[in-house]
Amino acid sequence: KLRNPIFDGHTIARELKNIYDFEIDTLFDPTKAEIEEKLESYKHKQFADDDQLFIFYAGHGDYDKEAAEGYLVPKDADHMENDVFRESFISHTYFRDQLNQISSKHTFLVLDACFGGTFDQKLTASDRSICVYDEQKKQFIESRMLYRTRRYISSGGKQYVPDGRPGEHSPFAKMFIEALLSKGGRRGILTITKILSSTENVNPMPQEGEFGDNELRSEFLFISK
């Protein structure tokens, strides 16, 4: 059993709602079927062009070196001796495809799980867009919302990551929450670039990447209310 994912999830959900006015949808201790049903429900949602979808996953992860495939490990996953092909797990390939089919123009995933970096088969970082601070806030937002976003950050690469002490958040989640609490600085806009800056000293080093049909210069904006 992990000690902090539910605590991390509750805290992040609260700050997203209180600071950035997000609509919150939580799923704790889910089974494989519940995760798949949740993904399917979002594939049927209607999104406006300027809507953004943020997904935070904290929990167990696994990696099959021979198959070069990473996995999310749901509540009801079987032990490896009974499930050598990991059929009770959720493959990153499936997860990527499902997220990419959701019609939101801007989707950003944060994975706090072991082997989360294997979500990106290329294991290469995407091109980060540069914040231009002399733009007006409205122009800044509009310019960053032009491009289709399929981005992610994971709490590590192809390795195990620490869960942290009970009640103190995982090391990665702690830094991510601190980034949320910054409210995006004087402009009131928290970007992926700023989140990466806030979490870059976490050990192991978080990894960023892209998936699906992400467009160059894409961005995800947490806009403080």
Side-chain angles (χ1 to χ4, degrees):
K1 292 185 178 180
L2 295 173
R3 294 167 289 202
N4 285 314
I6 291 179
F7 180 44
D8 296 342
H10 277 300
T11 303
I12 289 169
R14 182 183 68 235
E15 304 308 343
L16 287 173
K17 182 176 179 62
N18 291 343
I19 299 175
Y20 302 97
D21 206 25
F22 269 59
E23 293 181 15
I24 303 301
D25 186 5
T26 55
L27 190 63
F28 295 111
D29 278 334
T31 63
K32 179 181 180 181
E34 288 171 336
I35 294 174
E36 292 174 341
E37 288 169 4
K38 181 64 67 174
L39 291 169
E40 191 67 26
S41 72
Y42 272 84
K43 287 165 60 178
H44 292 89
K45 282 184 179 291
Q46 298 296 317
F47 293 88
D49 194 52
D50 58 352
D51 282 342
Q52 299 188 109
L53 175 62
F54 170 68
I55 299 170
F56 176 80
Y57 174 91
H60 282 297
D62 193 30
Y63 181 69
D64 183 343
K65 185 176 181 180
E66 292 184 2
E69 178 69 271
Y71 296 88
L72 308 180
V73 184
K75 174 182 177 179
D76 58 341
D78 205 347
H79 293 286
M80 282 299 301
E81 57 266 27
N82 301 323
D83 186 12
V84 293
F85 296 111
R86 295 175 171 84
E87 293 179 348
S88 62
F89 295 9
I90 294 178
S91 73
H92 285 177
T93 297
Y94 170 84
F95 199 44
R96 280 193 307 269
D97 290 344
Q98 294 299 298
L99 294 183
N100 194 47
Q101 291 177 43
I102 296 173
S103 65
S104 61
K105 184 176 179 180
H106 305 281
T107 300
F108 177 37
L109 169 69
V110 168
L111 276 175
D112 190 4
C114 295
F115 307 101
T118 62
F119 181 81
D120 186 348
Q121 292 175 309
K122 300 186 297 294
L123 289 176
T124 55
S126 63
D127 184 33
R128 302 182 192 174
S129 59
I130 299 172
C131 299
V132 182
Y133 289 100
D134 57 356
E135 296 180 1
Q136 294 296 320
K137 185 172 182 177
K138 184 173 183 294
Q139 293 174 325
F140 176 86
I141 293 171
E142 289 176 349
S143 67
R144 296 311 185 270
M145 297 288 280
L146 288 174
Y147 306 99
R148 186 172 179 83
T149 308
R150 294 292 185 268
R151 303 272 296 275
Y152 81 91
I153 296 176
S154 67
S155 57
K158 199 184 296 184
Q159 74 258 82
Y160 293 99
V161 294
D163 182 32
R165 296 176 181 176
E168 294 186 9
H169 301 299
S170 75
F172 172 81
K174 182 179 179 180
M175 294 295 99
F176 181 71
I177 291 166
E178 287 186 7
L180 293 177
L181 291 173
S182 74
K183 302 182 180 180
R186 64 180 179 85
R187 192 182 289 276
I189 302 173
L190 180 65
T191 64
I192 295 176
T193 303
K194 290 182 180 179
I195 292 171
L196 287 166
S197 178
S198 297
T199 59
E200 65 182 357
N201 292 324
V202 177
N203 186 25
M205 182 180 293
Q207 177 177 305
E208 66 155 328
E210 61 182 73
F211 64 97
D213 46 7
N214 184 68
E215 292 185 327
L216 191 67
R217 295 184 59 80
S218 65
E219 184 58 273
F220 194 95
L221 308 178
F222 296 87
I223 303 170
S224 172
K225 61 178 181 179

